Coordinates of all heavy atoms in Angstrom, one line a residue:
M1 N 3.5 5.5 -20.0 CA 3.1 6.8 -19.5 C 3.8 6.9 -18.1 O 3.9 6.1 -17.3 CB 1.6 6.7 -19.2 CG 1.1 7.9 -18.4 SD -0.7 7.9 -18.5 CE -1.1 7.6 -16.8
K2 N 4.4 8.1 -17.9 CA 5.0 8.4 -16.7 C 4.0 9.0 -15.6 O 3.3 9.9 -16.0 CB 6.1 9.5 -16.9 CG 7.2 9.0 -17.7 CD 8.1 8.1 -17.0 CE 9.3 7.7 -17.8 NZ 10.0 6.6 -17.2
L3 N 3.9 8.3 -14.6 CA 2.8 8.7 -13.6 C 3.1 10.0 -12.8 O 2.3 10.7 -12.3 CB 2.6 7.6 -12.6 CG 2.1 6.3 -13.3 CD1 1.9 5.2 -12.2 CD2 0.8 6.5 -14.0
A4 N 4.5 10.3 -12.7 CA 4.8 11.6 -12.0 C 4.1 12.8 -12.6 O 3.8 13.7 -11.8 CB 6.3 11.7 -12.0
S5 N 3.9 12.8 -13.9 CA 3.2 13.9 -14.5 C 1.7 14.1 -14.0 O 1.1 15.2 -14.2 CB 3.2 13.8 -16.0 OG 2.4 12.7 -16.4
N6 N 1.2 13.1 -13.3 CA -0.2 13.1 -12.8 C -0.2 13.8 -11.4 O -1.2 14.0 -10.8 CB -0.8 11.7 -12.7 CG -1.0 11.1 -14.0 OD1 -1.1 11.8 -15.1 ND2 -1.0 9.8 -14.1
L7 N 1.0 14.1 -10.8 CA 1.1 14.7 -9.5 C 1.4 16.2 -9.7 O 2.3 16.5 -10.5 CB 2.2 14.0 -8.6 CG 1.9 12.6 -8.2 CD1 3.1 12.0 -7.5 CD2 0.7 12.6 -7.3
G8 N 0.8 17.0 -8.8 CA 1.1 18.4 -8.9 C 1.0 19.0 -7.5 O 0.6 18.3 -6.6
A9 N 1.5 20.2 -7.3 CA 1.4 20.9 -6.1 C -0.1 20.9 -5.5 O -0.2 20.9 -4.3 CB 1.9 22.3 -6.1
N10 N -1.1 20.9 -6.3 CA -2.4 21.0 -5.9 C -3.2 19.7 -5.8 O -4.4 19.6 -5.6 CB -3.2 22.0 -6.7 CG -2.7 23.5 -6.6 OD1 -2.3 23.9 -5.5 ND2 -2.5 24.2 -7.7
T11 N -2.4 18.6 -6.1 CA -3.1 17.2 -6.0 C -3.4 16.9 -4.6 O -2.6 16.9 -3.7 CB -2.1 16.2 -6.5 OG1 -1.7 16.5 -7.9 CG2 -2.8 14.8 -6.5
P12 N -4.7 16.6 -4.3 CA -5.1 16.3 -3.0 C -4.5 14.9 -2.6 O -4.4 14.1 -3.4 CB -6.6 16.2 -3.1 CG -7.0 16.4 -4.4 CD -5.8 16.7 -5.2
E13 N -4.2 14.9 -1.3 CA -3.6 13.6 -0.8 C -4.5 12.4 -1.0 O -4.0 11.3 -1.2 CB -3.3 13.8 0.7 CG -2.5 12.6 1.3 CD -2.2 12.9 2.8 OE1 -1.9 14.0 3.2 OE2 -2.2 11.9 3.6
S14 N -5.8 12.6 -1.0 CA -6.8 11.5 -1.2 C -6.6 10.9 -2.6 O -7.1 9.8 -2.8 CB -8.2 12.0 -0.9 OG -8.5 13.1 -1.9
D15 N -6.0 11.6 -3.6 CA -5.8 11.1 -4.9 C -4.6 10.3 -5.1 O -4.3 9.6 -6.1 CB -5.8 12.2 -5.9 CG -7.2 12.9 -6.1 OD1 -8.2 12.4 -5.5 OD2 -7.2 14.0 -6.7
F16 N -3.7 10.4 -4.1 CA -2.3 9.8 -4.2 C -2.4 8.3 -4.6 O -1.7 7.8 -5.5 CB -1.5 9.9 -3.0 CG -1.0 11.4 -2.8 CD1 -0.2 11.6 -1.7 CD2 -1.3 12.4 -3.7 CE1 0.2 13.0 -1.5 CE2 -0.8 13.7 -3.5 CZ 0.0 14.0 -2.4
A17 N -3.1 7.5 -3.8 CA -3.2 6.0 -4.0 C -3.5 5.7 -5.4 O -2.9 4.7 -6.1 CB -4.1 5.4 -3.0
G18 N -4.5 6.3 -6.0 CA -5.0 6.0 -7.3 C -4.0 6.5 -8.4 O -4.0 6.0 -9.5
I19 N -3.2 7.4 -8.1 CA -2.2 7.9 -9.0 C -0.9 7.1 -8.9 O -0.3 6.7 -10.0 CB -1.9 9.3 -8.8 CG1 -3.0 10.2 -9.1 CG2 -0.7 9.8 -9.6 CD1 -2.9 11.7 -8.7
L20 N -0.5 6.8 -7.7 CA 0.8 6.1 -7.5 C 0.8 4.7 -7.9 O 1.9 4.1 -8.1 CB 1.2 6.2 -6.0 CG 1.4 7.6 -5.5 CD1 1.7 7.7 -4.1 CD2 2.4 8.4 -6.3
L21 N -0.3 4.0 -8.0 CA -0.4 2.6 -8.5 C -1.6 2.4 -9.3 O -2.7 2.6 -8.8 CB -0.4 1.6 -7.3 CG -0.7 0.2 -7.7 CD1 0.4 -0.4 -8.6 CD2 -0.7 -0.6 -6.4
I22 N -1.5 2.1 -10.6 CA -2.6 1.8 -11.4 C -2.5 0.3 -11.8 O -1.6 -0.1 -12.5 CB -2.6 2.7 -12.7 CG1 -2.7 4.1 -12.3 CG2 -3.7 2.3 -13.6 CD1 -2.5 5.2 -13.4
Q23 N -3.4 -0.5 -11.1 CA -3.4 -1.9 -11.3 C -4.2 -2.3 -12.5 O -5.3 -1.7 -12.7 CB -3.9 -2.7 -10.1 CG -2.9 -2.5 -8.9 CD -3.4 -3.3 -7.7 OE1 -4.5 -3.0 -7.3 NE2 -2.6 -4.2 -7.2
T24 N -3.7 -3.3 -13.3 CA -4.5 -3.8 -14.4 C -4.6 -5.3 -14.2 O -4.3 -5.8 -13.1 CB -3.7 -3.6 -15.7 OG1 -2.5 -4.3 -15.6 CG2 -3.4 -2.1 -16.0
R25 N -5.3 -5.9 -15.1 CA -5.5 -7.4 -15.0 C -4.1 -8.2 -15.0 O -4.1 -9.3 -14.6 CB -6.4 -7.9 -16.0 CG -7.8 -7.3 -15.8 CD -8.8 -7.9 -16.9 NE -10.1 -7.4 -16.8 CZ -11.0 -7.9 -16.1 NH1 -10.8 -9.0 -15.4 NH2 -12.2 -7.3 -16.1
K26 N -3.1 -7.6 -15.6 CA -1.8 -8.3 -15.7 C -0.8 -7.4 -15.0 O -0.6 -6.2 -15.4 CB -1.4 -8.5 -17.2 CG -2.5 -9.4 -17.9 CD -2.1 -9.5 -19.4 CE -1.3 -10.7 -19.5 NZ -0.9 -11.0 -21.0
T27 N 0.0 -8.0 -14.1 CA 1.0 -7.2 -13.4 C 2.1 -6.6 -14.3 O 2.6 -5.6 -13.9 CB 1.6 -8.1 -12.3 OG1 2.2 -9.3 -12.9 CG2 0.6 -8.6 -11.2
D28 N 2.4 -7.2 -15.4 CA 3.4 -6.7 -16.2 C 2.9 -5.4 -16.9 O 3.8 -4.7 -17.5 CB 3.9 -7.7 -17.3 CG 2.8 -8.2 -18.2 OD1 1.7 -8.0 -17.9 OD2 3.2 -8.7 -19.2
S29 N 1.6 -5.1 -16.9 CA 1.2 -3.8 -17.4 C 0.7 -2.8 -16.4 O 0.2 -1.7 -16.7 CB 0.1 -4.1 -18.5 OG -1.1 -4.7 -17.9
D30 N 0.9 -3.2 -15.1 CA 0.6 -2.2 -14.0 C 1.5 -1.0 -14.1 O 2.6 -1.1 -14.7 CB 0.8 -2.8 -12.6 CG -0.2 -3.8 -12.3 OD1 -1.2 -3.9 -12.9 OD2 0.0 -4.6 -11.3
E31 N 1.0 0.1 -13.7 CA 1.8 1.4 -13.7 C 2.0 1.9 -12.3 O 1.0 1.8 -11.5 CB 1.2 2.4 -14.6 CG 1.0 2.1 -16.0 CD 0.4 3.1 -16.8 OE1 -0.3 3.9 -16.3 OE2 0.6 3.1 -18.1
F32 N 3.2 2.3 -11.9 CA 3.4 2.7 -10.5 C 4.6 3.6 -10.5 O 5.4 3.7 -11.4 CB 3.6 1.5 -9.6 CG 4.8 0.6 -10.1 CD1 6.1 0.8 -9.6 CD2 4.5 -0.4 -11.0 CE1 7.1 0.0 -10.1 CE2 5.6 -1.2 -11.4 CZ 6.9 -1.0 -11.0
I33 N 4.7 4.3 -9.4 CA 5.9 5.1 -9.1 C 6.7 4.4 -8.2 O 6.3 4.0 -7.1 CB 5.4 6.5 -8.6 CG1 4.7 7.3 -9.7 CG2 6.7 7.3 -8.1 CD1 4.3 8.7 -9.3
E34 N 7.9 4.2 -8.5 CA 8.9 3.5 -7.7 C 9.7 4.5 -6.9 O 10.0 5.6 -7.4 CB 9.9 2.7 -8.5 CG 10.9 1.9 -7.8 CD 11.7 1.0 -8.6 OE1 11.4 0.7 -9.8 OE2 12.9 0.8 -8.2
C35 N 9.9 4.2 -5.6 CA 10.7 5.1 -4.8 C 11.7 4.2 -4.0 O 11.6 3.0 -3.8 CB 9.9 5.9 -3.9 SG 9.1 4.9 -2.5
H36 N 12.8 4.9 -3.6 CA 13.8 4.2 -2.9 C 13.9 5.0 -1.5 O 14.0 6.2 -1.5 CB 15.2 4.3 -3.6 CG 15.2 3.5 -4.9 ND1 15.6 2.2 -5.0 CD2 14.7 3.9 -6.1 CE1 15.4 1.8 -6.2 NE2 14.9 2.9 -6.9
I37 N 14.0 4.2 -0.5 CA 14.0 4.7 0.9 C 15.4 4.6 1.4 O 16.0 3.5 1.4 CB 13.0 4.0 1.8 CG1 11.5 4.2 1.3 CG2 13.2 4.5 3.2 CD1 10.5 3.4 2.0
Y38 N 16.1 5.7 1.8 CA 17.4 5.7 2.3 C 17.3 5.9 3.8 O 16.5 6.8 4.2 CB 18.3 6.8 1.7 CG 18.4 6.5 0.2 CD1 17.6 7.1 -0.7 CD2 19.4 5.6 -0.2 CE1 17.8 6.8 -2.1 CE2 19.6 5.3 -1.6 CZ 18.8 6.0 -2.5 OH 19.0 5.7 -3.9
G39 N 17.9 5.1 4.6 CA 17.8 5.2 6.0 C 16.8 4.2 6.6 O 16.4 3.3 5.9
K40 N 16.5 4.3 7.8 CA 15.6 3.3 8.5 C 14.1 3.6 8.2 O 13.7 4.7 8.1 CB 15.8 3.4 10.0 CG 17.2 3.0 10.4 CD 17.3 3.0 11.9 CE 18.7 2.6 12.3 NZ 18.9 2.6 13.7
L41 N 13.5 2.5 8.0 CA 12.0 2.6 7.8 C 11.5 1.8 9.0 O 11.7 0.6 9.3 CB 11.5 1.8 6.6 CG 10.0 1.7 6.3 CD1 9.4 3.1 6.2 CD2 9.7 0.9 5.1
T42 N 10.7 2.6 9.9 CA 10.2 1.9 11.1 C 8.7 2.1 11.1 O 8.1 2.7 10.2 CB 10.8 2.7 12.3 OG1 10.2 4.0 12.4 CG2 12.3 2.7 12.4
I43 N 8.1 1.4 12.1 CA 6.7 1.5 12.2 C 6.1 2.9 12.4 O 5.0 3.2 11.9 CB 6.1 0.6 13.4 CG1 4.6 0.4 13.3 CG2 6.6 1.1 14.7 CD1 4.1 -0.4 12.0
S44 N 6.9 3.8 12.9 CA 6.5 5.2 13.1 C 6.3 5.9 11.7 O 5.7 6.9 11.7 CB 7.4 5.9 14.0 OG 8.7 6.0 13.4
N45 N 6.9 5.3 10.7 CA 6.7 5.9 9.3 C 5.4 5.5 8.7 O 5.0 6.0 7.6 CB 7.8 5.4 8.4 CG 9.2 5.8 8.9 OD1 9.9 5.0 9.3 ND2 9.4 7.1 8.9
I46 N 4.6 4.5 9.3 CA 3.3 4.1 8.7 C 2.2 4.7 9.4 O 2.0 4.5 10.6 CB 3.3 2.5 8.8 CG1 4.6 1.9 8.1 CG2 2.0 2.0 8.2 CD1 4.7 0.4 8.2
E47 N 1.4 5.4 8.6 CA 0.2 6.0 9.2 C -1.1 5.2 9.0 O -1.9 5.1 9.8 CB 0.0 7.4 8.6 CG -1.2 8.1 9.0 CD -1.3 9.5 8.3 OE1 -0.5 10.4 8.6 OE2 -2.3 9.6 7.6
S48 N -1.1 4.6 7.7 CA -2.3 3.7 7.4 C -1.9 2.7 6.4 O -0.8 2.8 5.8 CB -3.4 4.6 6.9 OG -3.0 5.2 5.7
F49 N -2.9 1.7 6.2 CA -2.6 0.7 5.2 C -3.9 0.2 4.7 O -5.0 0.4 5.2 CB -1.8 -0.5 5.8 CG -2.6 -1.3 6.8 CD1 -3.2 -2.5 6.4 CD2 -2.8 -0.9 8.1 CE1 -4.0 -3.3 7.2 CE2 -3.6 -1.6 9.0 CZ -4.1 -2.9 8.6
R50 N -3.8 -0.4 3.5 CA -4.9 -1.1 2.8 C -4.3 -2.5 2.4 O -3.2 -2.6 2.0 CB -5.3 -0.4 1.5 CG -5.9 0.9 1.8 CD -6.3 1.6 0.5 NE -6.5 3.0 0.7 CZ -6.8 3.8 -0.2 NH1 -7.0 3.4 -1.5 NH2 -7.0 5.1 0.0
A51 N -5.2 -3.5 2.4 CA -4.7 -4.8 2.1 C -5.9 -5.7 1.6 O -7.0 -5.7 2.1 CB -4.1 -5.5 3.2
K52 N -5.6 -6.4 0.5 CA -6.6 -7.3 0.0 C -6.5 -8.6 0.8 O -5.4 -8.9 1.4 CB -6.3 -7.7 -1.5 CG -6.5 -6.6 -2.4 CD -6.3 -7.0 -3.8 CE -6.4 -5.8 -4.8 NZ -6.0 -6.2 -6.2
K53 N -7.5 -9.4 0.9 CA -7.5 -10.7 1.7 C -6.8 -11.7 0.8 O -7.3 -11.9 -0.3 CB -8.9 -11.1 2.1 CG -8.9 -12.3 2.9 CD -10.3 -12.7 3.4 CE -10.2 -13.9 4.3 NZ -11.4 -14.4 4.8
P54 N -5.8 -12.3 1.3 CA -5.1 -13.3 0.6 C -6.0 -14.6 0.3 O -7.0 -14.8 1.1 CB -3.9 -13.7 1.4 CG -3.8 -12.7 2.4 CD -5.1 -12.0 2.6
T55 N -5.7 -15.3 -0.7 CA -6.6 -16.5 -1.0 C -6.1 -17.7 -0.3 O -6.9 -18.6 0.0 CB -6.7 -16.7 -2.5 OG1 -5.4 -16.7 -3.1 CG2 -7.4 -15.6 -3.2
R56 N -4.7 -17.9 -0.2 CA -4.2 -19.0 0.5 C -4.2 -19.0 2.0 O -4.1 -17.9 2.6 CB -2.7 -19.2 0.0 CG -2.5 -19.6 -1.4 CD -1.1 -19.7 -1.8 NE -0.2 -20.4 -0.8 CZ 0.9 -20.1 -0.4 NH1 1.6 -19.0 -1.0 NH2 1.6 -20.7 0.5
K57 N -4.6 -20.1 2.6 CA -4.8 -20.1 4.1 C -3.6 -19.6 4.9 O -3.6 -18.8 5.8 CB -5.1 -21.6 4.5 CG -5.4 -21.7 6.0 CD -6.6 -20.9 6.4 CE -7.0 -21.1 7.9 NZ -8.0 -20.2 8.3
A58 N -2.4 -20.1 4.5 CA -1.2 -19.7 5.1 C -0.9 -18.1 5.1 O -0.6 -17.5 6.0 CB 0.0 -20.4 4.6
D59 N -1.3 -17.6 3.9 CA -1.1 -16.2 3.7 C -2.2 -15.4 4.6 O -1.9 -14.3 5.0 CB -1.3 -15.8 2.2 CG 0.0 -16.3 1.4 OD1 1.0 -16.5 2.0 OD2 -0.3 -16.4 0.2
Q60 N -3.4 -16.0 4.7 CA -4.4 -15.4 5.5 C -4.0 -15.3 7.0 O -4.3 -14.3 7.6 CB -5.8 -16.1 5.3 CG -6.4 -16.0 4.0 CD -7.6 -16.9 3.8 OE1 -8.0 -17.6 4.8 NE2 -8.1 -16.9 2.6
V61 N -3.3 -16.3 7.4 CA -2.9 -16.4 8.8 C -1.8 -15.3 9.0 O -1.9 -14.5 10.0 CB -2.3 -17.7 9.2 CG1 -1.7 -17.8 10.6 CG2 -3.5 -18.7 9.2
L62 N -0.9 -15.2 8.1 CA 0.1 -14.2 8.2 C -0.4 -12.8 8.1 O -0.1 -11.8 9.0 CB 1.2 -14.4 7.1 CG 2.3 -13.4 7.1 CD1 3.1 -13.4 8.4 CD2 3.3 -13.7 5.9
A63 N -1.3 -12.6 7.2 CA -2.0 -11.3 7.1 C -2.8 -10.8 8.3 O -2.7 -9.7 8.7 CB -2.9 -11.3 5.8
A64 N -3.5 -11.8 8.9 CA -4.2 -11.5 10.1 C -3.3 -11.1 11.2 O -3.6 -10.2 12.0 CB -5.0 -12.7 10.5
H65 N -2.1 -11.8 11.3 CA -1.2 -11.4 12.3 C -0.6 -10.0 12.2 O -0.6 -9.2 13.1 CB 0.0 -12.4 12.3 CG 1.1 -12.2 13.3 ND1 0.9 -12.3 14.7 CD2 2.3 -11.6 13.1 CE1 2.1 -11.9 15.2 NE2 2.9 -11.5 14.3
I66 N -0.3 -9.8 10.9 CA 0.2 -8.4 10.6 C -0.8 -7.3 10.9 O -0.5 -6.3 11.4 CB 0.8 -8.3 9.1 CG1 2.0 -9.3 9.0 CG2 1.0 -6.9 8.7 CD1 2.3 -9.5 7.6
R67 N -2.0 -7.6 10.4 CA -3.1 -6.7 10.7 C -3.3 -6.3 12.1 O -3.5 -5.2 12.6 CB -4.4 -7.2 10.1 CG -5.6 -6.3 10.1 CD -6.8 -6.9 9.4 NE -6.7 -6.5 8.0 CZ -6.6 -7.2 7.0 NH1 -6.5 -8.5 7.1 NH2 -6.6 -6.7 5.7
R68 N -3.3 -7.4 13.0 CA -3.4 -7.2 14.5 C -2.4 -6.4 15.0 O -2.6 -5.5 15.8 CB -3.4 -8.6 15.1 CG -4.8 -9.3 15.2 CD -4.8 -10.4 16.3 NE -3.8 -11.4 16.0 CZ -3.9 -12.4 15.1 NH1 -5.0 -12.5 14.4 NH2 -2.9 -13.3 15.0
K69 N -1.1 -6.7 14.6 CA 0.0 -5.9 15.1 C 0.0 -4.4 14.7 O 0.2 -3.5 15.5 CB 1.4 -6.5 14.6 CG 1.7 -7.8 15.2 CD 2.0 -7.6 16.7 CE 2.4 -8.9 17.3 NZ 2.6 -8.9 18.7
L70 N -0.5 -4.2 13.4 CA -0.6 -2.8 13.0 C -1.7 -2.1 13.8 O -1.6 -0.9 14.2 CB -0.9 -2.7 11.5 CG 0.3 -3.1 10.6 CD1 -0.2 -3.2 9.2 CD2 1.4 -2.0 10.7
H71 N -2.8 -2.8 14.1 CA -3.9 -2.2 14.9 C -3.4 -1.9 16.3 O -3.8 -0.8 16.8 CB -5.1 -3.2 14.9 CG -5.9 -3.2 13.6 ND1 -6.8 -4.1 13.3 CD2 -5.8 -2.4 12.5 CE1 -7.3 -3.9 12.1 NE2 -6.7 -2.9 11.6
E72 N -2.6 -2.8 16.9 CA -2.1 -2.6 18.2 C -1.2 -1.3 18.3 O -1.1 -0.6 19.3 CB -1.2 -3.7 18.7 CG -2.0 -5.0 19.0 CD -1.1 -6.2 19.2 OE1 0.1 -6.0 19.4 OE2 -1.7 -7.3 19.4
L73 N -0.6 -0.9 17.2 CA 0.2 0.2 17.0 C -0.5 1.5 16.6 O 0.0 2.5 16.2 CB 1.4 0.0 16.1 CG 2.4 -1.2 16.7 CD1 3.3 -1.7 15.6 CD2 3.1 -0.6 17.9
D74 N -1.9 1.3 16.5 CA -2.7 2.5 16.1 C -2.6 2.9 14.7 O -2.7 4.1 14.3 CB -2.6 3.6 17.0 CG -3.1 3.4 18.4 OD1 -4.0 2.6 18.6 OD2 -2.5 3.8 19.4
V75 N -2.1 2.0 13.8 CA -2.0 2.2 12.4 C -3.5 2.0 11.8 O -4.1 1.0 12.1 CB -1.0 1.3 11.7 CG1 -1.0 1.5 10.2 CG2 0.4 1.5 12.3
I76 N -3.9 2.9 11.0 CA -5.3 2.9 10.6 C -5.4 2.0 9.3 O -4.6 2.1 8.4 CB -5.7 4.4 10.1 CG1 -5.6 5.3 11.3 CG2 -7.1 4.4 9.5 CD1 -5.6 6.8 11.0
E77 N -6.5 1.2 9.3 CA -6.7 0.3 8.2 C -7.8 1.0 7.4 O -8.9 1.3 7.8 CB -7.2 -1.0 8.6 CG -7.5 -1.9 7.4 CD -7.8 -3.4 7.8 OE1 -7.9 -3.6 9.0 OE2 -7.9 -4.2 6.9
E78 N -7.4 1.3 6.1 CA -8.4 2.0 5.2 C -9.1 1.0 4.3 O -8.5 0.0 4.0 CB -7.7 3.1 4.4 CG -7.1 4.2 5.3 CD -6.4 5.3 4.4 OE1 -6.4 5.2 3.2 OE2 -5.9 6.2 5.0
P79 N -10.3 1.3 3.9 CA -11.0 0.3 3.0 C -10.4 0.4 1.6 O -9.8 1.3 1.2 CB -12.4 0.9 3.0 CG -12.3 2.3 3.4 CD -11.1 2.4 4.3
L80 N -10.5 -0.8 0.9 CA -10.0 -0.8 -0.4 C -10.9 0.0 -1.4 O -12.1 0.1 -1.2 CB -9.8 -2.2 -0.9 CG -8.7 -3.0 -0.3 CD1 -8.8 -4.5 -0.7 CD2 -7.4 -2.4 -0.7

């Protein structure tokens, strides 16, 4: 299924996340829209983020550091 057909001019922004990535129990059957970014991607391009809590301790430490840095830059953390 092509996910782009689920987007339209009247699609509310609040629906984007649920359309752009459809996760299943197996990553090989997930559906998503892939995009390519040309040019620089900087922190000013990030308005908000969502993140699951990692299970491994080392990943939790890294995720906490990234989360703190994003909060310092006033990037909004949205609930999952």
Side-chain angles (χ1 to χ4, degrees):
M1 174 169 113
K2 297 287 184 187
L3 298 179
S5 64
N6 294 334
L7 292 172
N10 296 319
T11 303
E13 188 175 323
S14 59
D15 291 350
F16 287 178
I19 293 170
L20 300 178
L21 172 62
I22 298 172
Q23 292 181 303
T24 63
R25 294 182 184 268
K26 299 177 95 180
T27 56
D28 61 343
S29 60
D30 287 351
E31 296 180 338
F32 56 92
I33 292 179
E34 180 178 334
C35 68
H36 297 266
I37 299 171
Y38 296 95
K40 294 181 180 181
L41 176 64
T42 68
I43 192 63
S44 64
N45 300 109
I46 302 172
E47 179 179 291
S48 64
F49 72 100
R50 295 180 197 180
K52 293 180 182 176
K53 184 175 181 179
T55 55
R56 293 181 38 224
K57 183 64 175 170
D59 293 335
Q60 290 174 4
V61 171
L62 179 59
H65 175 74
I66 293 169
R67 182 175 270 116
R68 274 194 306 276
K69 290 294 184 184
L70 289 171
H71 287 165
E72 287 172 11
L73 296 166
D74 296 322
V75 177
I76 300 164
E77 182 172 5
E78 296 183 359
L80 288 174

